[in-house]
Each structure stands twice: as structure tokens, then as C-alpha cells.
Amino acid sequence: MKENNSNETGKPNWKSPLMKMQGNGAPSFGLKIIIITVMIFLFLIPLGMIKDLIREREGRKLEAETDVVSSWGGESAIGGPVLVVPRRMKREVLDEAGKVLRMEEYTERVYMLPRNLDLDVRSRSEMKHRGIFEVPVFTLDLSGSGDFALEPLYKNYNSADLIWDQAYVQFSYHHLKGMKKTGPLLWGGKEINFEPGDSALSFYDAVLKVPVDIGSGETWNISRTIPFRFNQEIRGGTSLEFLPLGGETRIHLESDWVSPSFQGYYLPTQQNISDQGFTAEWELHSLSRSVPESWSESETSVFDEMRQTAFGLNYYPALNSYNKTRRTIDYGILFLIMPFMTFFLFELIRKVRIHPIQYLLAGFGNILFYLILLSLSEHIAFMPSYLAASAAVAVMLSLYTLSIDGVGWKGLYLLPVMSSGYGYLYFVLKSEDYALVMGTAGLFAALSITMFLTRGIKWYD
């Protein structure tokens, strides 16, 4: 008897063979494609949960870093020297009607920057541990020299108003906790010890000062320049910051840290980074900043303007395993597709039936890769962690594929497929600047291979 393929209206009742259930009750290839696609998108949920776990672990590491760096000395900043000279001022005292009652005397400070400033900095880094986390800190051997020219004081202010015998040199820092040692200031050939200063008006919160002799305002003193020199040993971590205080500022920095990230208003004039550390030099002129060579206490905006010109570097870890693990998850959907596509090709070419549960287990195996990578990279370097995680998952999935009925030894095909995929991803992670190009090339190659392997399949049969 002939099968009736028409409905009541006489139109053909056609249904794609891809969507028909097979005789043994197994889903057709078309239906299985839909099931696999839904699985892949559902696996984005555990991938997102692993990303949240990475953020939580990274937050714990940041807490450890903040705690260790704060105990060691905190972020370092060098805001000195600045010459400070008080001056006498007068202002009118008015009544409620605006009538002048009397003249009142008060004092305000005048700030003056050095004509030349040379800083020679040697940075020695070391690792501190807090739990399982390593935290980089450094110790600075700082040697500074330069000179102050007194002419701007005579040119910009009435010398009779200046209180010459109360002059001092001010140094400001983020914290004094990191000041391990400071020698005396050599001022005009005379050694003078540092003492605590007033942080009410300074570039940073912690201040040291040195009372100095700049004369008594004599006319013959107008062209005088006073040289200075100082040496300090400062502990810190995370970042190092300088200010372009001199009319000409020259800074030479040497460090054994191999991964500096230069930041701020100025980049180094010269820099050299190697496996042994780095050197950097800045040569700056006062014309490159908007801050005057001297200003009065009432001009408070100058302090903010100078801080905006700060520059220096961050001491980043040479390898941030959390960032790299997060980047591997960005490619997670591709690594879910790889075993699924291999299983599907087995079904198409080898005529093997693989249950959706088996697809599901293979997907969870790939998810496990990221957890293994995350847990290992907290204790050992990223490369061996990546190698161990990828090898474990690739071998596990290959052995599992061997056990699928009808696949046999050809299940080992999954081992080179997964190994090459994980290997290619590692090189993509290493080549951050070319990651998009390499990733696109990898997708193109994978699609081309799939099209080649399925070129002879009659999809409607």
C-alpha cells in the first residue's frame, strides 16, 4: 500500500529527514544539533561562575597585597625639596558695615622650587608572603642633589616682608612609615638634620623639614645659589611617584624589577628593560609644566596643579595568573565546541550513536580545565599550571571517548584535537597584541577542517 504524503488540503506533508526521530528512538541529527547548541549556551553559566570565583580570589589577593604593602611602607612618592620662607602680610579688619576698623598682621608661607634637581634612585625588590600570595615590595636608595637660586624671592616678593631666619626646606611623602633611614641634608656645605614638618600645605600628607640659612635679605645676596645634597632609604610597594620640581629635573632610576609599567604625566626619556631589571631616565624642564617657580600659601591650587604632573611607575607582577585565566575563559565556548564537534563527526562519519549525556560529561570535563588551571596557578607558575590542566583534561576526554560503544581506538583522535587547541590557545594568550588575528586564524582553520571532513556527507539521506 502506498504511503499518503498529503494532508487534508492536498498539499504535500513534507518533513526534513534531519528532524525525524530515528527508528531506535534516538534523536535525529537535526534535533541533536539543537540539543548540542542549547548545551553549549547552558555551559556559559558555569563559565560565568568560574569568572566570579576568579574575581573573588583576585579580591583576596588584592587584600593581601594592600595589607603587606601598607605594613612595609605603602605607595611611595617623593615631593621635595621645596624652599619655604614665611612672610609678613597685612589685611584690613572690617566691621559689619564694611568700615575699616584696623590693619591686622599675619604670616603666610612662600614656596620656591629648586633651580636644578637630580635624583639617582636604586630600587631593590623582594617578595613578601601572605598566605598563598606573593607580594612584591621594594627598597629605594635615593640620592638627591641640586641647588636653589634666591633671585626669585627678591624678584617676586618684597624682601623686607620675608622672615629670612625662619626659612626651611620641605620634603613631602605619601607616608613616613616607609622612611627607613635619612641622612642629614647637606646645605651649602653644612649638615643639618631632618625634623617633623607641618603637612597643612604640601604635595603629600607626610612631611619632613630642615631649617636652613638663606641669609638675611641683603642686596648682595640676590644672585646667590645654594647647593644641597641628601640621601634616604625608603621602603614601599605597588608604585613609585615623582614630581618635576626643578627648573631642570633629571631622574635616573635602576631596578631589578623586570615588569615596570610607566605611568603619569611624563614617560621616561630613555628606558631599557631586560631579564635582569630595568633602567629609566627622565629629563624635564619647567617649561613643560604650568606651575610657577614660586608661589604663596594663598595660591592653594598650585599644589593640585603640581600633583597632576606626577609621574613614575607601577610595580606590576611579571605574571598575573588571574588575568590569564580570565582570558582563557573568554575562549571557553570554542573549547566546548571542539569535543562536541568531534563527537558529532564520529556520529556522521563512523555511524556511531553518542548519547546527549555523553556530550554533557565531555562539556563538564572542559569546564573542569579552568578550575584546575585556577587552583594550580595560585601555587605554581602559569605555564606548568596550563600544561598540567590541559594534559589532564585532554587525556581524560580521550580515554572516555575510547569507551564509547562503536568508537574504539579512533577515540584517540580527540587527544591531538584537544592538545592542538589548548596549545594554540596558549600562544594566543602569550601574543596579546596579536590575539585577535591569531584567534581568527584558528577559527578559520577549524572551520576549514570541518568542511573538508564533511564534504561527502549527504545531509538529506
Side-chain angles (χ1 to χ4, degrees):
M1 186 175 178
K2 205 169 184 179
E3 184 180 354
N4 183 12
N5 290 325
S6 300
N7 56 23
E8 295 178 354
T9 62
K11 293 182 180 180
N13 190 13
W14 181 86
K15 187 178 289 185
S16 169
L18 288 172
M19 300 302 295
K20 288 181 178 180
M21 296 295 289
Q22 300 178 40
N24 58 3
S28 66
F29 286 130
L31 185 57
K32 184 161 285 187
I33 289 174
I34 294 175
I35 294 173
I36 292 171
T37 303
V38 172
M39 277 188 191
I40 290 173
F41 283 103
L42 287 177
F43 272 118
L44 293 178
I45 297 174
L47 284 177
M49 294 171 67
I50 295 176
K51 274 192 172 182
D52 291 338
L53 178 60
I54 292 175
R55 280 190 288 269
E56 186 268 331
R57 301 296 295 176
E58 201 168 20
R60 288 190 58 189
K61 182 181 180 182
L62 182 60
E63 289 178 4
E65 289 178 350
T66 301
D67 189 26
V68 171
V69 170
S70 176
S71 300
W72 185 254
E75 297 180 347
S76 292
I78 300 168
V82 177
L83 180 61
V84 184
V85 184
R87 68 167 175 169
R88 301 179 185 89
M89 298 290 291
K90 293 182 179 181
R91 59 188 170 200
E92 296 176 339
V93 178
L94 306 178
D95 61 12
E96 295 180 356
K99 183 178 179 181
V100 177
L101 295 177
R102 65 181 185 277
M103 297 298 294
E104 181 182 68
E105 286 192 357
Y106 68 97
T107 60
E108 73 168 9
R109 287 166 282 197
V110 170
Y111 298 82
M112 191 177 75
L113 300 177
R115 186 182 65 167
N116 293 292
L117 177 60
D118 294 305
L119 296 179
D120 186 66
V121 186
R122 301 286 191 273
S123 173
R124 294 174 279 111
S125 61
E126 58 184 289
M127 287 292 182
K128 298 295 181 181
H129 293 81
R130 181 60 53 89
I132 64 172
F133 302 112
E134 282 189 337
V135 181
V137 294
F138 57 78
T139 301
L140 303 177
D141 294 316
L142 172 64
S143 177
S145 63
D147 58 65
F148 283 91
L150 299 185
E151 183 177 356
L153 291 176
Y154 290 87
K155 182 176 66 175
N156 299 328
Y157 307 97
N158 186 346
S159 61
D161 294 334
L162 297 174
I163 309 175
W164 296 87
D165 59 353
Q166 294 183 20
Y168 60 91
V169 174
Q170 175 177 280
F171 292 77
S172 59
Y173 312 87
H174 271 317
H175 314 275
L176 288 179
K177 182 188 294 185
M179 184 63 68
K180 183 179 179 183
K181 182 172 62 177
T182 180
L185 175 69
L186 186 64
W187 179 263
K190 181 181 178 181
E191 291 186 351
I192 313 172
N193 291 325
F194 284 80
E195 58 186 55
D198 181 10
S199 61
L201 280 176
S202 60
F203 298 123
Y204 301 109
D205 295 333
V207 173
L208 294 177
K209 70 176 183 178
V210 182
V212 294
D213 178 13
I214 59 172
S216 302
E218 301 89 346
T219 305
W220 57 265
N221 210 32
I222 188 172
S223 59
R224 182 184 176 191
T225 60
I226 305 175
F228 63 84
R229 181 178 295 276
F230 62 94
N231 293 283
Q232 295 176 337
E233 188 173 345
I234 302 173
R235 288 175 171 176
T238 307
S239 67
L240 174 60
E241 189 173 284
F242 303 99
L243 295 175
L245 298 178
E248 291 186 2
T249 302
R250 290 174 290 273
I251 299 176
H252 176 81
L253 174 61
E254 291 186 12
S255 175
D256 56 2
W257 192 250
V258 297
S259 56
S261 175
F262 297 106
Q263 306 284 336
Y265 199 76
Y266 303 97
L267 292 177
T269 309
Q270 298 180 22
Q271 66 183 62
N272 180 40
I273 303 174
S274 67
D275 293 337
Q276 286 72 45
F278 74 90
T279 61
E281 293 186 4
W282 290 264
E283 294 184 1
L284 310 171
H285 195 277
S286 59
L287 294 177
S288 66
R289 64 168 197 251
S290 60
V291 177
E293 60 185 349
S294 65
W295 68 95
S296 62
E297 183 177 344
S298 58
E299 300 173 90
T300 55
S301 62
V302 176
F303 294 95
D304 293 329
E305 291 171 5
M306 179 62 83
R307 279 192 293 266
Q308 291 173 8
T309 65
F311 60 95
L313 70 150
N314 289 333
Y315 284 73
Y316 282 155
L319 178 64
N320 190 328
S321 62
Y322 293 112
N323 282 342
K324 290 198 171 185
T325 304
R326 188 183 296 110
R327 287 185 62 206
T328 62
I329 295 179
D330 292 338
Y331 296 88
I333 192 168
L334 302 179
F335 286 85
L336 288 169
I337 291 174
M338 278 198 306
F340 286 4
M341 181 60 70
T342 305
F343 281 11
F344 192 69
L345 290 176
F346 277 135
E347 293 201 63
L348 286 175
I349 299 171
R350 297 286 299 171
K351 307 303 180 184
V352 176
R353 290 293 170 258
I354 301 178
H355 196 275
I357 293 295
Q358 293 171 308
Y359 280 90
L360 191 67
L361 292 174
F364 278 119
N366 266 287
I367 296 296
L368 190 60
F369 162 77
Y370 301 102
L371 282 176
I372 297 173
L373 177 61
L374 174 61
S375 59
L376 289 180
S377 62
E378 288 188 330
H379 300 276
I380 60 178
F382 184 81
M383 186 178 74
S385 300
Y386 188 94
L387 181 63
S390 57
V393 172
V395 170
M396 178 183 69
L397 291 181
S398 300
L399 293 176
Y400 178 68
T401 308
L402 280 174
S403 67
I404 296 177
D405 187 33
V407 175
W409 64 269
K410 291 186 181 294
L412 292 176
Y413 287 168
L414 189 60
L415 183 60
V417 170
M418 297 300 296
S419 299
S420 59
Y422 284 128
Y424 193 78
L425 175 60
Y426 183 78
F427 287 107
V428 170
L429 296 175
K430 292 279 286 184
S431 307
E432 185 171 353
D433 293 337
Y434 301 97
L436 180 59
V437 173
M438 294 180 66
T440 304
L443 284 175
F444 180 83
L447 181 59
S448 300
I449 293 172
T450 303
M451 293 172 71
F452 176 79
L453 293 175
T454 59
R455 69 193 185 281
I457 294 176
K458 297 178 181 179
W459 296 97
Y460 281 106
D461 288 348

